[in-house]
Amino acid sequence: MPQELLLQVTPEIAANELLLKEHLSKQLKVSVNEIQHVSILKRSIDARQKTVRINLKVVIYLKGEPFQETKFQIPDYKNVANAQEVIVVGAGPAGLFAALQLIELGLKPIVVERGKEVRGRRRDLKAINVDHIVNEDSNYCFGEGGAGTYSDGKLYTRSKKRGDVTRILELFVAFGATPDILVDAHPHIGTNKLPQIIQDIREKIIEFGGQVLFETRLTDILIKNNEVEGIVTQKGDTILANKLILATGHSARDIYELLDRKEVFIEAKPFALGVRAEHPQSLIDSIQYSCDYRGEHLPPAPYSIVKQVNGRGMYSFCMCPGGVIAPCATSPGEVVTNGWSPSKRDQATANSGIVIELKLEDFKPYAKFGALAGMEFQKSIEQKAWDLAGQTQKAPAQRMIDFTQKRVSSEIPKTSYVPGTTSIEMGQVFPEYLTQILREGFTEFGKSMRGYLTNEAIIHAPESRTSSPVRIPRDLYTYEHLQIKGLYPCGEGAGYAGGIISAAIDGEKCALMIAEALK
């Protein structure tokens, strides 16, 4: 009978199959040759002590015990070319996984995406990085795969109560992701590998009768008697269907404005906002692993930190070990920062959003915008950053200690942010109360992580697209909009997800609810 064990080993043992078998043979008091196979079920790093250990959950198969390698396969989809149609707006994880689920349920998805296919997006990313040109329909946020495709591909989620996380991860593996994402405590595909997986998902949708329309932006939703009838695109085309999954992402401001104009009920939602801080990865390694050199068997160290400052939560967000900072504006005249890591996480720098939780009361100066007050607050910060940094995609930047001491940095070293930086006193970018929280918060961070508060660290502004500033209300059980029949608000853009996995889960659930309604 295969044995399941929990154990703690050195990084060297965890990384070497033979060393692991030797370790287990001593523990089980059997010969190494008796161990047929070791399956690693879960893997995490324990860096709480001076000597870093790897936690493993393993299953050991001795000779003679049945073992079969698990193969993850794409579901047995049937062709839905002639089935009932459902419009899916947005080809991010929510939209793509909704489309796959619709096919599995015998319904035909028509996926409408404002941006370009995943490969075509690259030219527009180069344009924003090198030429400071922002394409409003194709950028780091818009296009096939959504914001996650070219901004890291993190698969970690705390949303395990929302749905079947394992199912989503197994689907990713079936479409080409490494099986390690099923094992690691904080799974990550990497920006360099995710595009091919996204492309394969799209090709599967088309193969089984679904449609995917790129460079097709939604400009109107046809509604009659509070029921969806279809949509109109910027090309003037009308697509008719009485079921619509709206999965447009947290940066599709034109969609919020459209809903507001049509008096479709939406509401302001708190979100978080701050800066993106970049450190040398070697410094973060030394802090987290308590060593001068992490060695070849430990990955670049991440960090997670939370503090309460003046009654507000200030915390790290979307931490990218061995990663870079990217320009994520979606319109000309604004600066937005985000971070990503390649699959190997082999860049020399580490970065993380350091953000402060906002409250609805913070949006009072923008009360005339109603449900869009938070969005307008967000826009004002991004536009101010653009102005202060020189009206290009350069980002306002400051050394971390200089910021805490209200001192303009005399010079900013080259950072991973390709468009470049402009030395600014960061207090000019944010309202005074947020600036003060950031100053005090970084000081507190430095007390918890010795060495974190340093002028080697450069903060870039703003990190402002942490989540949607608007919620599109829906029924708790049917997922249908509270006012408009046939409209299914979905994913991050509707306020119901916070990352690739939770968005994919929400997309599947919306598809399931539509199938249930059509019975």
Side-chain angles (χ1 to χ4, degrees):
M1 183 75 179
Q3 296 185 59
E4 189 173 295
L5 287 180
L6 296 174
L7 60 152
Q8 199 174 67
V9 297
T10 65
E12 290 79 9
I13 291 174
N16 186 294
E17 184 180 1
L18 179 58
L19 291 179
L20 181 57
K21 283 185 176 181
E22 289 175 350
H23 179 88
L24 289 168
S25 73
K26 293 174 185 175
Q27 193 162 339
L28 297 174
K29 295 182 171 53
V30 299
S31 163
V32 172
N33 295 329
E34 279 296 301
I35 299 176
Q36 174 195 179
H37 180 79
V38 179
S39 289
I40 299 175
L41 302 181
K42 291 295 176 185
R43 176 172 52 221
S44 64
I45 298 172
D46 186 347
R48 293 173 295 178
Q49 307 300 322
K50 186 150 189 174
T51 303
V52 178
R53 289 285 186 262
I54 307 297
N55 297 320
L56 296 177
K57 182 179 182 180
V58 300
V59 177
I60 304 104
Y61 296 83
L62 299 179
K63 280 189 175 178
E65 293 177 338
F67 166 72
Q68 188 171 1
E69 196 78 47
T70 303
K71 292 185 179 180
F72 299 98
Q73 297 186 342
I74 295 167
D76 185 20
Y77 298 123
K78 306 300 181 189
N79 194 286
V80 295
N82 298 315
Q84 181 162 347
E85 296 177 341
V86 176
I87 300 170
V88 180
V89 184
L96 291 176
F97 277 79
L100 288 174
Q101 183 71 85
L102 287 168
I103 292 172
E104 198 168 346
L105 295 165
L107 298 169
K108 177 182 177 178
I110 302 176
V111 182
V112 176
E113 169 55 51
R114 69 190 298 161
K116 297 178 182 176
E117 50 82 25
V118 71
R119 305 293 176 187
R121 290 175 70 182
R122 289 177 173 172
R123 289 186 293 274
D124 299 310
L125 301 186
K126 181 180 178 182
I128 192 172
N129 273 292
V130 177
D131 303 317
H132 302 252
I133 297 171
V134 180
N135 182 327
E136 293 187 84
D137 288 322
S138 180
N139 44 62
Y140 275 99
C141 291
F142 300 148
E144 185 178 20
T149 304
Y150 288 109
S151 57
D152 210 42
K154 286 185 180 66
L155 300 179
Y156 176 64
T157 181
R158 294 184 178 89
S159 306
K160 293 180 173 58
K161 291 181 180 178
R162 295 186 186 178
D164 191 344
V165 173
T166 301
R167 170 184 159 86
I168 300 298
L169 293 174
E170 288 179 352
L171 269 173
F172 270 118
V173 173
F175 277 104
T178 169
D180 283 348
I181 66 173
L182 294 162
V183 171
D184 292 329
H186 291 82
H188 167 259
I189 292 179
T191 301
N192 53 322
K193 292 189 174 181
L194 194 52
Q196 184 61 52
I197 294 169
I198 296 299
Q199 180 177 310
D200 290 346
I201 291 174
R202 175 239 302 169
E203 290 173 353
K204 191 62 64 176
I205 291 169
I206 294 170
E207 178 186 347
F208 285 94
Q211 285 182 263
V212 183
L213 308 175
F214 293 115
E215 299 182 66
T216 305
R217 177 165 28 92
L218 167 70
T219 55
D220 197 12
I221 301 173
L222 302 176
I223 300 171
K224 185 176 181 180
N225 298 326
N226 281 345
E227 292 188 26
V228 166
E229 292 191 325
I231 65 169
V232 179
T233 75
Q234 95 279 16
K235 300 173 183 177
D237 297 328
T238 297
I239 302 173
L240 298 177
N242 60 11
K243 300 294 182 186
L244 166 62
I245 294 177
L246 196 61
T248 49
H250 60 41
S251 292
R253 290 170 173 164
D254 57 326
I255 299 299
Y256 302 136
E257 291 166 345
L258 170 65
L259 295 175
D260 195 49
R261 283 196 308 272
K262 296 182 76 70
E263 298 184 346
V264 173
F265 183 46
I266 58 176
E267 58 191 10
K269 182 182 79 64
F271 58 104
L273 179 143
V275 298
R276 189 151 280 268
E278 180 170 275
H279 291 76
Q281 180 62 55
S282 58
L283 174 61
I284 299 301
D285 290 341
S286 68
I287 294 171
Q288 295 297 84
Y289 293 146
S290 302
C291 60
D292 294 329
Y293 171 62
R294 73 170 186 265
E296 62 179 304
H297 301 299
L298 281 173
Y303 66 85
S304 177
I305 192 163
V306 181
K307 294 290 180 183
Q308 285 292 315
V309 185
N310 297 341
R312 306 253 188 165
M314 176 171 158
Y315 57 94
S316 55
F317 169 82
C318 184
M319 195 276 150
C320 300
V324 301
I325 301 177
C328 290
T330 51
S331 294
E334 64 189 28
V335 167
V336 180
T337 65
N338 196 356
W340 59 265
S341 301
S343 58
K344 292 184 179 179
R345 293 180 162 174
D346 54 1
Q347 301 300 300
T349 50
N351 69 80
S352 180
I354 306 297
V355 296
I356 300 163
E357 60 180 4
L358 300 178
K359 303 176 181 179
L360 290 177
E361 63 196 54
D362 296 325
F363 310 148
K364 283 183 179 177
Y366 302 88
K368 68 178 182 181
F369 295 101
L372 304 181
M375 187 183 86
E376 292 298 326
F377 173 89
Q378 184 186 58
K379 281 168 64 174
S380 71
I381 299 291
E382 297 168 0
Q383 290 166 354
K384 190 180 291 186
W386 183 77
D387 275 326
L388 289 167
Q391 298 189 347
T392 67
Q393 282 303 302
K394 286 187 174 183
Q398 194 170 8
R399 292 178 182 268
M400 191 179 285
I401 290 179
D402 288 348
F403 171 64
T404 63
Q405 297 178 357
K406 304 181 182 180
R407 183 174 62 225
V408 176
S409 301
S410 58
E411 54 88 27
I412 302 291
K414 185 178 180 181
T415 73
S416 67
Y417 184 79
V418 173
T421 59
T422 300
S423 181
I424 295 290
E425 206 301 287
M426 209 63 78
Q428 298 178 70
V429 178
F430 302 101
E432 175 57 32
Y433 66 96
L434 292 181
T435 303
Q436 188 58 33
I437 292 170
L438 282 168
R439 292 194 210 280
E440 293 181 24
F442 277 125
T443 301
E444 291 300 310
F445 279 23
K447 294 176 183 177
S448 296
M449 292 178 63
R450 298 291 181 181
Y452 183 89
L453 180 60
T454 171
N455 259 352
E456 284 190 80
I458 310 299
I459 58 175
H460 304 63
E463 167 75 64
S464 50
R465 306 287 179 93
T466 55
S467 67
S468 170
V470 174
R471 179 177 287 107
I472 308 174
R474 69 187 187 190
D475 184 270
L476 183 63
Y477 301 104
T478 67
Y479 283 37
E480 199 168 34
H481 189 269
L482 297 178
Q483 173 195 5
I484 307 300
K485 190 172 178 58
L487 176 62
Y488 291 79
C490 182
E492 285 202 47
Y496 299 103
I500 292 174
I501 295 297
S502 58
I505 289 172
D506 205 55
E508 286 202 334
K509 283 190 171 181
C510 286
L512 287 164
M513 292 301 102
I514 287 175
E516 186 68 26
L518 290 173
K519 281 183 179 178

